[in-house]
Amino acid sequence: MIKRAKGVTISQVAEAAGVARSSVSRAFTRPDMLSPETVTRIMKAAEALGYVPNHTARALSTGRHGNVGLIVPDIANPFFPPMIQAAQIEADRSDFCIFLGNTEENPKQEDKLVSRFAGQVEGLVLASSRLSDERIRAHAGQLPLVLINRDLDGIPRVLIDSGSGVREAVEHLARLGHGKIVYVSGPSTSWSNKQRRSAVRAAASSLEVQVETVPAVLPSYNSGRNAVGAILATGATAAIAFDDLTAQGVLAGLAEKHVSVPGDFSLIGCDDVLGAMTYPALTSVSNRSMEAGRVAVSLLLDMLQSRAIRDVRYVLETHLVVRNTTAAPR
Amino acid sequence: MIKRAKGVTISQVAEAAGVARSSVSRAFTRPDMLSPETVTRIMKAAEALGYVPNHTARALSTGRHGNVGLIVPDIANPFFPPMIQAAQIEADRSDFCIFLGNTEENPKQEDKLVSRFAGQVEGLVLASSRLSDERIRAHAGQLPLVLINRDLDGIPRVLIDSGSGVREAVEHLARLGHGKIVYVSGPSTSWSNKQRRSAVRAAASSLEVQVETVPAVLPSYNSGRNAVGAILATGATAAIAFDDLTAQGVLAGLAEKHVSVPGDFSLIGCDDVLGAMTYPALTSVSNRSMEAGRVAVSLLLDMLQSRAIRDVRYVLETHLVVRNTTAAPR
DNA sequence: CTGTTAGCGCATTCAT
DNA sequence: ATGAATGCGCTAACAG
C-alpha cells in the first residue's frame, strides 16, 4: 500500500512561519505586498512542510481556475493534433491548463461536453464546431467563447482561409502548362469544401484552364483511391484534392495504375498534414491549424483578462507548399 | 456586448422552494433522503432559476472533482489519438472529464505537467512516460496513477506487448529467407523500444538470423529517413522499425535511393497506425492503443472508487499484420 | 506592511 | 424527513 501525502494547508504554514494566513496567501500571489524577509521566511516554512496551494480552494474563492477548454470534432483527424498541441503550449505560457473534448462529429456530444466543461473552465475554444448557430450563441452567453473555422458575427473567431492557397495551387499548375485539371471534392456539407471548390473554379476560369469536379464524398484515403478511375477518365493532367488524405489515396491509386507522379500526372493536396511523408512528397496547400490553435487560445486568454469581448475575426491565409508531385505535363 | 449569466446558487433555490440550503444540496446528491414531493418542488425551483451545481465548490467540499489526467509524450504521434479518444469515452461513461497533457517527449515538461495536474485531478494516466522510475514512484505517492507501457512493480499498469507481434515479424522474415535484418530503434528511455529490441534479438537468435541495431533516436519520419544510410550499410535485406512513423521515413529514404520495396528490401513497422496508407502498404505489428486507453482509465476509476491500489499488470498481445512491404530477398 | 474578518458554494455532521 | 451549523482552503476587503 502506497502512502498518499495529505494536503498541508495555508494555516499550518502560517503557524510555522509565525504569521497570519493572509500573509501566506499573499506570499504566493502578491509577494510585492510583503516585506522581502517575511516572504522568504514564509517560503522557507512552506517548502519545509511541502505546502502546495490548493487549486480548487483558490478557484472557489477567486472564480478563476486557470483552465480553458478545447473541443474538437475528431482528435484522430491529423488536422487537429497540431492545433491541440499549439493550444496547449499557448495556454501553458500563461499557466493555464487545457481541457480537451472530443465530440466524434456528434453535435449532441458537443453540447454535452460544453455544459460539462462550463463550470470548470474559464473559457472555451470550439474548433470546427458541428453545433447550430443558435446553440453556439447560447453557449457564448454562458462563458467566453472563441471559434475556429466558424464565422459567427459577434463571437471572436479565427478562420483558416484555404482559398488563398488553392488559388496559388491553380496558378502553379497553370504556369507549369496544365490546361485541364480536376478538383477532387470533399463532403458536400463542408464549408471548407465549398470554399476550396469555388476558389479552384474562380482561379481556373481567370487563367483559362478547364476544371472538372470528381466527387470523393468522404475525405479519406479510400475515397481518393476509388476516385482515380474517374479522374483519369476526364483526360486532365493534374488534380487538386480536397485534402491530403484524399490526395494520398489518389497517389496510391495512380501508382497501382502505373501512372507516374509527377511525370504523367500532377497532384496537389490540401491541409498539408502529411508533411513530406508521402513518396513522392506531396505538394499541398499549407494548413494553419497550429497557428489557429495558438491564436484562438491567445484570444481567449485576452478576453479573460480584459473581461471584455471584442468582435475579432482573425483570418489566416494559406499558401502552396511545392514539393515533388507537380511538374509540367508531357 | 454579450450578457453572461451569473451563477445562481443553492441558497436562491432554497429560498424559492421554501426549504433549507441543505435540502437543496440533498435533492441533487441524495434524493432518497428527501420526500419525493420536496425533491420535485426543489427541482422545479432549480429548473426555473436555471440552477447548475457549482463544480468547484463541490470539489472543495468533497475533495472529489471528477477529473482524471492523461499525459502523453506526443499527441501528434498517430499512436496516441485513438488511445486518447478511448480514454475519453471510458471516462465519460463515469461522468469524469479528461485533462490532456502533452510533454513533447520532454521529461521535464512531463514532471511539470504532473505537478500542475495534481490538485485538479483525482488520478492520472501516464502513457509511455519518459520519466525515471524514481520520479514515477514519487508521483505515485502523491496521487493514484496508472501507467501505460511502463512496467513498474506495485503501480497499476497496462502493457501493450509488442513482443508477441515482433516475434511473429521476425519469424515471417526468417520464413521468407532473410538471413540478416536490422532493428531501427526508438527512444532509449522508451519501455516499448527495449521490449521490441530484445524481442527481435531473442527471436532472431533462436531462428539463426543475424541482427544489427541502427538508432533512430526519435520515433519520427525524419529519424527513419536519416537512418537509411546506416541501415543499408549493414548489408541486411530487411528491417523492423521501432514504429510506423519511423518505418515510413525509412520507406521514403529507400525510395529516394532507388531501393525497391519489397523487391530489394523488406520492411516492417510497429503500431499499425498508418493502416494501408503507404505505398506499398506497410506490413506492421498491430497496435492496441485504443484498448490500452480504455483499460487504463477503467483501472484508474476503479482505484478511485475502492480507494485501494491493487498491483494490476494488464497485458495486451499484438500480432503481425502482413501487407506489401515484405517478400523474399533476391 | 501585516493581521482580522468575511465570505466563495456546497456537503455534511448534528439536532429536531 | 428536514433545518441549523460548521468547515473545505483560500482570497479579498478592511483595518491598523
Side-chain angles (χ1 to χ4, degrees):
Chain A
M1 189 66 181
I2 292 183
K3 283 155 266 164
R4 200 80 68 202
K6 293 303 306 174
V8 24
T9 79
I10 215 174
S11 304
Q12 309 178 35
V13 178
E15 183 169 8
V19 298
R21 290 170 15 208
S22 50
S23 293
V24 178
S25 173
R26 287 175 184 126
F28 280 85
T29 53
R30 326 266 305 264
D32 49 299
M33 286 184 66
L34 266 40
S35 83
E37 305 87 63
T38 47
V39 171
T40 51
R41 185 151 45 95
I42 291 173
M43 287 313 203
K44 200 173 297 182
E47 177 97 8
L49 295 175
Y51 168 75
V52 175
N54 181 315
H55 192 91
T56 309
R58 177 178 295 179
L60 179 58
S61 185
T62 60
R64 323 198 60 236
H65 21 75
N67 301 142
V68 294
L70 171 60
I71 297 185
V72 303
D74 179 15
I75 193 187
N77 182 327
F79 179 84
F80 293 107
M83 193 178 92
I84 297 170
Q85 187 164 350
Q88 182 127 29
I89 290 171
E90 181 65 20
D92 206 72
R93 292 198 331 124
S94 303
D95 269 334
F96 270 73
C97 282
I98 292 263
F99 256 95
L100 180 70
N102 193 54
T103 69
E104 309 180 35
E105 307 274 0
N106 180 349
K108 278 181 189 156
Q109 172 73 357
E110 185 169 353
D111 231 9
K112 180 180 165 195
L113 276 176
V114 172
S115 309
R116 202 106 91 66
F117 279 12
Q120 7 190 13
V121 301
E122 294 183 36
L124 221 44
V125 175
L126 256 43
S128 305
S129 175
R130 297 334 194 203
L131 291 178
S132 66
D133 290 4
E134 292 71 38
R135 295 304 302 143
I136 291 183
R137 289 197 188 281
H139 287 135
Q142 300 298 126
L143 81 174
L145 216 62
V146 172
L147 266 25
I148 292 179
N149 276 358
R150 187 73 178 253
D151 198 0
L152 279 187
D153 254 29
I155 301 181
R157 53 214 184 278
V158 7
L159 305 169
I160 299 176
D161 173 26
S162 43
S164 52
V166 166
R167 216 164 299 129
E168 291 180 15
V170 177
E171 285 163 7
H172 175 62
L173 292 176
R175 204 174 303 124
L176 287 172
H178 293 272
K180 179 169 187 177
I181 67 179
V182 6
Y183 174 65
V184 187
S185 76
S188 55
T189 56
S190 160
W191 174 74
S192 296
N193 183 52
K194 283 174 203 150
Q195 190 190 31
R196 288 166 196 187
R197 192 184 48 199
S198 60
V200 168
R201 285 183 179 156
S205 81
S206 79
L207 291 166
E208 296 184 0
V209 347
Q210 279 184 270
V211 182
E212 284 207 34
T213 297
V214 168
V217 188
L218 282 180
S220 73
Y221 177 85
N222 282 328
S223 290
R225 191 156 151 178
N226 294 334
V228 168
I231 293 171
L232 293 177
T234 64
T237 54
I240 297 176
F242 167 68
D243 72 354
D244 274 13
L245 254 42
T246 307
Q248 193 173 24
V250 172
L251 200 57
L254 290 172
E256 279 167 3
K257 289 188 164 35
H258 304 293
V259 176
S260 102
V261 173
D264 299 329
F265 198 88
S266 288
L267 183 63
I268 297 179
C270 255
D271 289 347
D272 199 23
V273 294
L274 269 20
M277 303 214 298
T278 58
Y279 187 81
L282 185 66
T283 292
S284 186
V285 171
S286 73
N287 134 315
R288 310 280 302 272
S289 72
M290 242 177 58
E291 284 97 327
R294 188 179 55 68
V295 170
V297 168
S298 166
L299 235 47
L300 183 57
L301 296 181
D302 279 0
M303 289 172 62
L304 295 179
Q305 189 158 26
S306 63
R307 286 303 198 180
I309 301 175
R310 296 165 306 171
D311 187 10
V312 186
R313 188 173 186 275
Y314 197 107
V315 178
L316 294 165
E317 298 221 324
T318 58
H319 296 285
L320 184 69
V321 179
V322 179
R323 295 207 182 84
N324 310 326
T325 53
T326 43
R330 287 234 166 102
Chain B
M1 188 66 181
I2 292 182
K3 281 155 270 166
R4 199 81 68 204
K6 289 306 305 174
V8 24
T9 79
I10 215 174
S11 304
Q12 309 178 36
V13 178
E15 183 168 9
V19 298
R21 293 174 6 214
S22 47
S23 293
V24 178
S25 174
R26 286 174 185 125
F28 281 86
T29 53
R30 327 264 309 261
D32 50 299
M33 287 183 65
L34 263 42
S35 83
E37 305 86 64
T38 48
V39 170
T40 51
R41 185 153 43 97
I42 290 173
M43 286 313 202
K44 199 174 297 183
E47 176 97 8
L49 294 175
Y51 168 74
V52 175
N54 181 315
H55 192 91
T56 309
R58 179 177 292 178
L60 179 59
S61 186
T62 60
R64 321 199 61 239
H65 25 178
N67 301 141
V68 294
L70 170 60
I71 296 186
V72 303
D74 180 14
I75 192 189
N77 183 327
F79 177 84
F80 294 106
M83 192 179 93
I84 297 170
Q85 187 164 351
Q88 183 128 29
I89 291 171
E90 181 65 21
D92 205 71
R93 292 198 332 124
S94 304
D95 268 334
F96 270 72
C97 283
I98 291 261
F99 257 93
L100 180 70
N102 192 54
T103 69
E104 312 183 32
E105 307 275 359
N106 180 349
K108 278 181 191 157
Q109 172 72 359
E110 186 169 355
D111 232 9
K112 181 181 163 194
L113 275 177
V114 173
S115 309
R116 202 107 92 65
F117 279 11
Q120 8 191 11
V121 301
E122 293 183 36
L124 221 45
V125 174
L126 255 43
S128 305
S129 176
R130 298 332 192 202
L131 291 177
S132 66
D133 289 5
E134 293 71 39
R135 295 304 303 144
I136 290 183
R137 288 197 188 284
H139 288 135
Q142 301 297 126
L143 82 173
L145 214 61
V146 171
L147 266 24
I148 292 180
N149 278 357
R150 187 70 180 254
D151 198 358
L152 279 187
D153 254 29
I155 301 181
R157 53 215 184 276
V158 8
L159 305 170
I160 298 176
D161 174 26
S162 40
S164 53
V166 165
R167 216 164 299 127
E168 291 180 16
V170 176
E171 284 162 8
H172 175 61
L173 291 175
R175 204 174 303 125
L176 287 172
H178 292 272
K180 178 167 187 179
I181 68 179
V182 5
Y183 174 65
V184 187
S185 76
S188 54
T189 56
S190 158
W191 175 82
S192 297
N193 182 53
K194 282 176 203 145
Q195 190 193 32
R196 288 167 195 185
R197 193 184 46 200
S198 59
V200 168
R201 283 184 181 154
S205 81
S206 77
L207 292 166
E208 296 186 1
V209 348
Q210 279 183 272
V211 181
E212 284 207 33
T213 296
V214 168
V217 188
L218 281 181
S220 74
Y221 177 85
N222 282 328
S223 289
R225 191 157 152 179
N226 294 334
V228 169
I231 293 171
L232 293 177
T234 64
T237 55
I240 297 176
F242 167 69
D243 72 353
D244 275 14
L245 254 42
T246 307
Q248 193 173 23
V250 172
L251 200 58
L254 290 171
E256 278 168 5
K257 289 187 163 34
H258 303 293
V259 177
S260 101
V261 173
D264 298 329
F265 198 89
S266 288
L267 183 62
I268 297 179
C270 257
D271 290 348
D272 198 22
V273 293
L274 269 20
M277 302 215 297
T278 58
Y279 187 82
L282 186 66
T283 293
S284 186
V285 172
S286 73
N287 132 311
R288 309 281 303 271
S289 71
M290 242 177 57
E291 285 98 325
R294 187 179 57 68
V295 171
V297 168
S298 166
L299 238 46
L300 183 58
L301 296 181
D302 279 0
M303 289 172 63
L304 295 180
Q305 188 159 25
S306 63
R307 285 303 198 182
I309 300 176
R310 295 165 308 173
D311 188 9
V312 186
R313 188 173 187 276
Y314 196 106
V315 178
L316 295 164
E317 297 220 325
T318 60
H319 296 286
L320 184 68
V321 179
V322 178
R323 295 206 184 84
N324 310 324
T325 53
T326 44
R330 289 239 163 99

